[in-house]
Amino acid sequence: MADGYNKPIPIPQPESDYYWEGAKAGELRLRHCDDCNQAYFYPRNICPECGNNNTSWIVASGKAKVHTFAIVHRPPHPGFMDDLPYVPAIVELEEGPRMATQLINVTPEPEAISIDMQVKVVFESITDEISLPKFEPA
Amino acid sequence: MPVMDRLKAISGSAAIVGVAESDRFGRTPDRGPMELHAEAGRNALADAGIDKSEVDGVFTSGGYSTYDIAEYMGIAPHFTDSTSVGGSSFVIHIAHAMAAIEAGYCEVALITYGQTGRSDRARGALNLYGVTPGLPNAQYEAPFGIIGPPIAYSMAANRYMHQYGEDRTREAMANVAVSTRKWANMNEKAHFYDTPMTFDEYHDSRWISWPFHLLDCCLVTDGGAAVVITSAERAKSTRKGGVAILGAAEGHDHAILHQMPDLTRTWGRNTGPQALEMAGVTHSDLDMAMIYDSFTYTVLVTLESLGFCGPGESPDFVANQRTAPGGDFALNTNGGGLSYAHPGSYGIFTVLEAVRQLRGETGERQLDDCKLAMAHGTGGLLSSTGTVVLGRE
Ligand SMILES: [Zn+2]
């Protein structure tokens, strides 16, 4: 674990362990329904569209555009105190689904970030098991 | 889909006969939430003139199940409902109470609420972070610092600004903050009763999570509230008579923020039209609306979702202090979650104020000839909504 990392850390669950193994290996893995022929997020064994189990995994390109963001000035949790201001975001992946993330390597000012800007995934290692998929300008 | 013919058949079959806050209200460092539930419950029953022994349906949410509250109060109900979908739960309970009464499961329904958001902070009793490891939020939002309503709602608001214009949205948010404060200045129970707000104070308040200033965000207070419901027939013999439940609707379309289908439309798009149709009325028939104002943006997105105006039109709808006292659209006349009270889950307070306006009990801020009101709660991260249409002859 990175020294002093005191933010919430994901605990892999039965339907997400492969997702988090992927993130640790530098892959953004998405669930894909082979009946609906579309990817979805977050990982679930059962397709939220059709309800079938005919699902597989694909590796996302990591390319996305910003769907929305905020610039946080008051920490919601003590672990984020030293990160202020930081930029939580929702991005729309090239494959279609949206996911929540954080934008990094951006100036945390409204003028410096724009909705629809192109971004790409980067993995930030926070523990031996977990790397978080964050996004930076493409 | 809801079966409208059957809903119309039970429109008005039940009535709200008692409403109350807890005696201790605003800041209660020496009181726990259960006492506030019980105190408000006792007060609402007194308002109705109904003895506790007659309560046979209990409804609650916000960290307690009905058996917790009923045990505390010494009630053993025959009907129980702990539906818990955030701050809208207590509005949704009204539909459930009406359905239960109509079906014969109970005759006197008591909905209680109590939270001490303000004092919990001081005593470290609050789970401020809302992170439960087994829920998707803990893996897919919280690790990125998307924790709690201000950040999530501000992200939705930024999307709205992108689609419909930042400057006019900002002006609308300011209009909501200032107009709501003016109503609070007429409500002696309001946290900000004695404190006016100028537009400059709004724009100069510090950033919490851009695009939200501090004054875009609801209060964090302590308090309880309760509502008593019975059949329309039985309501006639209660102390104040009944306020008829004419329409009621509920639902949700996501739990965590990034799963929301459209950050600029809530499930109110269904509950608003459904509740109005069930009541057999339209938007223009309403004399007032109580809309859960967790944030200024919540009001804008909800006005549009409920159908008071079209997508992107709420900045025009609230322009020029139209929703302030004396304006031609009476909105959040108690001062709202923004300026009256917000112990954690505010939804029930929209009902209290609507009932009091319909009864003519609101003193300085009383609307003329108020006969038909809407109360609307939003819960979670713009996730769930409950809408009721209430009326008095
Ligand atoms: Zn499918």
Side-chain angles (χ1 to χ4, degrees):
Chain A
M1 183 184 297
D3 268 355
Y5 193 87
N6 63 342
K7 303 178 181 71
I9 297 170
I11 302 171
Q13 304 290 316
E15 295 178 277
S16 65
D17 44 10
Y18 189 74
Y19 173 81
W20 290 114
E21 284 170 26
K24 181 47 76 180
E27 284 186 355
L28 183 61
R29 295 175 180 168
L30 287 179
R31 271 292 176 150
H32 183 270
C33 177
D34 297 336
D35 287 340
C36 296
N37 195 30
Q38 65 181 14
Y40 58 90
F41 192 86
Y42 51 87
R44 281 159 274 188
N45 286 344
I46 295 170
C47 169
E49 188 67 31
C50 69
N52 293 343
N53 270 83
N54 190 18
T55 51
S56 56
W57 290 90
I58 60 170
V59 177
S61 70
K63 294 177 185 168
K65 62 179 181 179
V66 174
H67 184 70
T68 195
F69 67 94
I71 303 172
V72 177
H73 292 264
R74 196 184 73 169
H77 179 289
F80 293 90
M81 188 74 81
D82 295 336
D83 296 358
L84 301 176
Y86 68 92
V87 186
I90 295 172
V91 296
E92 186 174 307
L93 301 171
E94 190 176 52
E95 293 78 9
R98 287 184 205 140
M99 64 182 287
T101 185
Q102 204 179 94
L103 300 184
I104 59 171
N105 300 324
V106 293
T107 306
E109 291 169 3
E111 302 73 26
I113 308 164
S114 57
I115 287 175
D116 290 339
M117 71 186 269
Q118 299 294 316
V119 291
K120 66 177 194 292
V121 72
V122 285
F123 293 94
E124 188 177 288
S125 177
I126 60 168
T127 69
D128 289 345
E129 294 78 33
I130 298 292
S131 290
L132 295 178
K134 298 189 175 181
F135 285 74
E136 64 178 10
Chain B
M1 290 297 288
V3 183
M4 190 50 68
D5 287 349
R6 296 182 65 180
L7 291 176
K8 284 185 170 181
I10 67 165
S11 172
S13 65
I16 296 175
V17 294
V19 294
E21 289 107 337
S22 54
D23 296 326
R24 284 83 166 180
F25 199 69
R27 188 170 167 274
T28 65
D30 56 341
R31 308 287 163 178
M34 293 181 85
E35 180 175 357
L36 300 177
H37 275 263
E39 198 170 79
R42 185 178 64 201
N43 290 347
L45 287 165
D47 188 53
I50 292 177
D51 192 80
K52 175 168 75 88
S53 63
E54 298 182 70
V55 174
D56 53 4
V58 174
F59 302 69
T60 199
S61 177
Y64 297 100
S65 286
T66 48
Y67 52 34
D68 301 315
I69 301 304
E71 175 186 82
Y72 184 110
M73 293 185 71
I75 296 171
H78 293 265
F79 188 83
T80 176
D81 179 359
S82 305
T83 297
S84 196
V85 286
S88 66
S89 303
F90 308 89
V91 181
I92 287 172
H93 290 152
I94 293 173
H96 297 189
M98 179 163 65
I101 290 165
E102 177 65 15
Y105 280 105
C106 63
E107 282 189 277
V108 176
L110 175 64
I111 305 169
T112 69
Y113 167 72
Q115 273 182 303
T116 53
R118 185 183 181 92
S119 294
D120 287 352
R121 279 187 174 174
R123 54 182 174 236
L126 189 65
N127 175 11
L128 283 169
Y129 316 129
V131 180
T132 304
L135 288 175
N137 161 273
Q139 293 187 75
Y140 307 116
E141 292 194 347
F144 304 98
I146 302 172
I147 301 172
I151 293 170
Y153 282 66
S154 66
M155 291 170 72
N158 189 25
R159 181 71 198 181
Y160 183 96
M161 286 179 156
H162 171 76
Q163 290 183 204
Y164 299 118
E166 180 176 339
D167 291 347
R168 61 193 288 272
T169 305
R170 172 66 63 197
E171 194 55 34
M173 288 158 63
N175 261 307
V176 170
V178 171
S179 63
T180 308
R181 180 64 62 86
K182 288 176 184 169
W183 285 112
N185 295 153
M186 299 167 80
N187 179 1
E188 61 190 16
K189 287 180 182 164
H191 181 80
F192 281 124
Y193 175 54
D194 290 324
T195 313
M197 185 201 301
T198 66
F199 277 90
D200 283 346
E201 283 167 342
Y202 167 82
H203 289 292
D204 292 344
S205 67
R206 63 192 169 89
W207 295 118
I208 297 297
S209 177
W210 182 91
F212 285 171
H213 289 285
L214 175 66
L215 292 179
D216 287 303
C217 304
C218 65
L219 298 162
V220 180
T221 64
D222 302 329
V227 172
V228 181
I229 296 171
T230 191
S231 66
E233 186 57 34
R234 186 162 175 170
K236 292 175 190 163
S237 60
T238 57
R239 197 162 75 88
K240 294 178 175 174
V243 164
I245 303 163
L246 301 173
E250 67 187 70
H252 42 77
D253 61 5
H254 67 284
I256 58 179
L257 185 73
H258 78 266
Q259 296 284 309
M260 186 170 178
D262 179 347
L263 296 172
T264 68
R265 298 290 278 176
T266 74
W267 191 256
R269 67 190 181 274
N270 293 308
T271 56
Q274 181 187 325
L276 289 167
E277 187 181 357
M278 179 176 170
V281 299
T282 65
H283 295 89
S284 59
D285 295 325
L286 294 168
D287 296 303
M288 67 174 302
M290 292 298 303
I291 291 177
Y292 191 158
D293 53 341
S294 47
F295 302 93
T296 53
Y297 171 67
T298 317
V299 174
L300 302 181
V301 67
T302 304
L303 283 167
E304 294 175 11
S305 298
L306 291 172
F308 285 100
C309 56
E313 292 176 358
S314 63
D316 305 320
F317 191 87
V318 303
N320 304 312
Q321 292 293 286
R322 181 164 175 256
T323 61
D328 57 39
F329 188 86
L331 177 71
N332 295 346
T333 59
N334 59 353
L338 292 171
S339 287
Y340 149 72
H342 194 287
S345 293
Y346 165 85
I348 195 168
F349 296 104
T350 65
V351 178
L352 264 60
E353 178 70 4
V355 168
R356 287 171 172 158
Q357 285 282 0
L358 290 164
R359 286 174 171 176
E361 294 180 339
T362 56
E364 186 189 0
R365 65 183 190 280
Q366 179 63 44
L367 302 168
D368 291 336
D369 199 26
C370 183
K371 288 182 174 164
L372 195 67
M374 175 184 284
H376 176 85
T378 303
L381 304 177
L382 292 162
S383 317
S384 61
T385 69
T387 308
V388 293
V389 174
L390 305 174
R392 188 146 216 206
E393 298 292 298

